[in-house]
Amino acid sequence: MQSNATPDPFAEPVAFGQRVQILRDRRGMSRPVLAGLLGMSPSWLKQVESGQIQVPKLPMVLRIAEALRVRDLADLTGDQSMAVDLFTGPGHAKLPAVRDAINAFPLSADRPPPTPLHLRHRLAKAWSARHTAPNHRAVLGDLLPDLVVDAQLAVRAAESAAERRATQACLSEVYSLSQFFVAYQPDAALLWRVAERGMVAAQESEDPHAIGVAAWLTAQAHRDSGPGHFDAADAVTTKALRYLEPFLPDAPDKVLAIAGALQFEAGYTAARRAESGTAWGWWDEADKTSKKLPAAYYHPITSFSRAIMGAHAVTVAVELRAGGESVRQSVQADRMTIPSRPRLARHRIEEARGYQLDNQVEVALATLERAHEAAPETIRYNGYARRIILEETEAKSPDRRRRASELAVKVGLLAA
């Protein structure tokens, strides 16, 4: 019987080019858009998809995987010997415990619920630990199971409307913290469960800051799902900014900061669309917002601050595939201090992408080494860093191959 269903790219036998086309269609990405992200022509991509051009060399395969946000390289190549996780990590050892806590459905309690004030103190310590620990996922993996359960208990035990709103704000923030742990882990359903629960709890709290944070993370989840979800990301950021606007004239710093973070998210999505003017326009808006904050202020969740705007400029330039501009922005950004270790490592990875775009591959590798020094668990689960490292293990230069191979061992891409 003939089927009209879309072929499964993971079933054998399906040629490489067919896999590219199927995965591209599933991402809602046109051929010219994918070709542009690869720096190639639409006609070249059409020849690849039709099989007129054989499987490209590894660096181009990795770039295709990056553009299509392929989770496992084997899904693109069909070669199970190339089973390499890219945009999800191999799975943290503490993921099962965090997953069990999130998935639990407690109907009874074996301990008294904490007060909102107690939860707030624990959350503050948890955010601080996340920003200061090089093994931040391991730290969160220890803290999150009890935090999730206790925040749920606190909501159920609330005795007044005000207390219930306060505990819902705490619960929403616990889910936000959980999303930082779950991101890039091999459980997309869990990520969306956390994002959606965080948004529901935030809305129940009626707290502008909690709602802004939940929207910020939800927009990221949509954008990271691929171009077919960019409109959803834009809708979330636009509605959240519209909601926050009346609060801003007299808003505390944390509400002003989440508005600035959302403005940058709008610019980030525009950059992913290759809309340069819109992307830099939103960056300008976010920069204006950052200047309304105290010079030393640093938002404990989003890292939004005056200092982070330089790092954000690097990200916009990289997503617009502007290598020279990325490098120029990197030089300027390095004058600022980023106190969060995982956020600093993420910035180093963005810098490395810029240096690679500018054909300064040695500098890109050195920058990734600095990212590893700042926060090994950030680079271990970052698809962009993993792609650059894997590419350079195939470099013609023996020194580059050696350097990349040593880094690949450190981040778990190659066995020692």
Side-chain angles (χ1 to χ4, degrees):
M1 182 182 296
Q2 192 174 22
S3 172
N4 294 323
T6 303
D8 184 352
F10 313 140
E12 295 289 355
V14 178
F16 175 82
Q18 290 177 282
R19 289 172 181 269
V20 173
Q21 183 174 358
I22 293 166
L23 292 164
R24 175 175 61 76
D25 288 342
R26 287 187 176 182
R27 284 292 184 196
M29 190 182 296
S30 69
R31 187 176 287 140
V33 167
L34 177 56
L37 290 172
L38 300 174
M40 305 298 286
S41 68
S43 62
W44 174 86
L45 181 56
K46 183 177 181 180
Q47 291 178 74
V48 170
E49 292 181 346
S50 65
Q52 294 174 264
I53 294 178
Q54 295 304 308
V55 179
K57 292 184 178 179
L58 181 61
M60 182 55 73
V61 171
L62 290 167
R63 288 171 189 248
I64 294 171
E66 175 188 324
L68 293 173
R69 304 291 288 185
V70 171
R71 302 292 184 182
D72 189 322
L73 200 56
D75 295 343
L76 179 62
T77 64
D79 181 357
Q80 295 305 312
S81 68
M82 296 184 70
V84 177
D85 292 312
L86 288 173
F87 284 89
T88 54
H92 197 279
K94 298 185 185 295
L95 177 61
V98 174
R99 182 195 291 123
D100 287 348
I102 292 168
N103 288 341
F105 188 61
L107 292 174
S108 60
D110 58 0
R111 57 183 184 257
T115 65
L117 182 60
H118 178 69
L119 275 178
R120 276 276 154 230
H121 284 310
R122 287 168 63 186
L123 272 168
K125 288 184 177 180
W127 284 116
S128 176
R130 179 192 177 262
H131 288 300
T132 56
N135 59 331
H136 52 94
R137 270 194 170 84
V139 171
L140 289 186
D142 285 333
L143 297 174
L144 279 170
D146 282 343
L147 262 176
V148 170
V149 172
D150 283 350
Q152 291 171 338
L153 289 176
V155 169
R156 290 176 53 221
E159 295 181 349
S160 68
E163 186 178 357
R164 185 171 183 82
R165 287 194 296 271
T167 53
Q168 287 282 17
C170 287
L171 179 60
S172 177
E173 194 168 317
V174 170
Y175 283 131
S176 296
L177 187 65
S178 301
Q179 192 166 335
F180 279 94
F181 178 90
V182 174
Y184 305 114
Q185 296 293 301
D187 195 334
L190 183 65
L191 174 69
W192 278 107
R193 196 148 55 249
V194 167
E196 289 168 357
R197 289 183 184 179
M199 181 60 84
V200 170
Q203 290 173 328
E204 289 291 325
S205 77
E206 301 179 12
D207 182 312
H209 179 256
I211 291 171
V213 170
W216 179 75
L217 285 165
T218 301
Q220 291 185 14
H222 280 300
R223 187 180 59 242
D224 287 347
S225 297
H229 299 264
F230 286 178
D231 285 348
D234 281 338
V236 171
T237 51
T238 300
K239 288 178 181 178
L241 284 167
R242 191 178 301 134
Y243 165 80
L244 290 173
E245 189 173 358
F247 298 97
L248 297 182
D250 302 308
D253 290 341
K254 66 178 185 179
V255 174
L256 197 59
I258 194 58
L262 283 161
Q263 289 166 338
F264 171 70
E265 287 305 312
Y268 192 170
T269 305
R272 290 283 293 274
R273 293 181 189 271
E275 297 173 352
S276 178
T278 302
W280 286 114
W282 276 114
W283 183 91
D284 285 338
E285 289 300 312
D287 190 48
K288 291 175 187 174
T289 300
S290 75
K291 289 180 170 59
K292 297 176 183 177
L293 295 166
Y297 179 83
Y298 204 81
H299 190 257
I301 300 174
T302 67
S303 294
F304 190 80
S305 58
R306 294 189 189 185
I308 210 66
M309 291 312 301
H312 283 340
V314 174
T315 296
V316 170
V318 167
E319 292 296 344
L320 292 171
R321 317 294 292 179
E325 180 64 13
S326 302
V327 170
R328 189 180 74 81
Q329 294 291 351
S330 293
V331 172
Q332 290 186 330
D334 267 3
R335 299 171 188 163
M336 307 298 286
T337 300
I338 299 176
S340 167
R341 293 185 72 140
R343 187 60 186 86
L344 175 60
R346 164 76 187 282
H347 172 53
R348 296 295 181 217
I349 292 166
E350 296 293 277
E351 287 184 316
R353 294 176 67 198
Y355 283 119
Q356 191 192 43
L357 283 170
D358 201 45
N359 295 315
Q360 298 186 48
V361 184
E362 289 281 2
V363 183
L365 284 174
T367 306
L368 288 177
E369 288 166 352
R370 295 172 70 193
H372 187 267
E373 290 170 6
E377 287 192 342
T378 295
I379 190 170
R380 180 177 176 81
Y381 294 95
N382 186 281
Y384 298 115
R386 294 160 73 86
R387 189 265 297 165
I388 293 171
I389 294 167
L390 280 175
E391 278 192 29
E392 291 308 307
T393 61
E394 298 284 321
K396 292 180 180 179
S397 163
D399 287 342
R400 274 167 46 191
R401 284 201 308 273
R402 175 191 55 76
R403 193 170 189 175
S405 296
E406 289 174 354
L407 190 52
V409 170
K410 288 180 181 178
V411 303
L413 283 170
L414 294 177

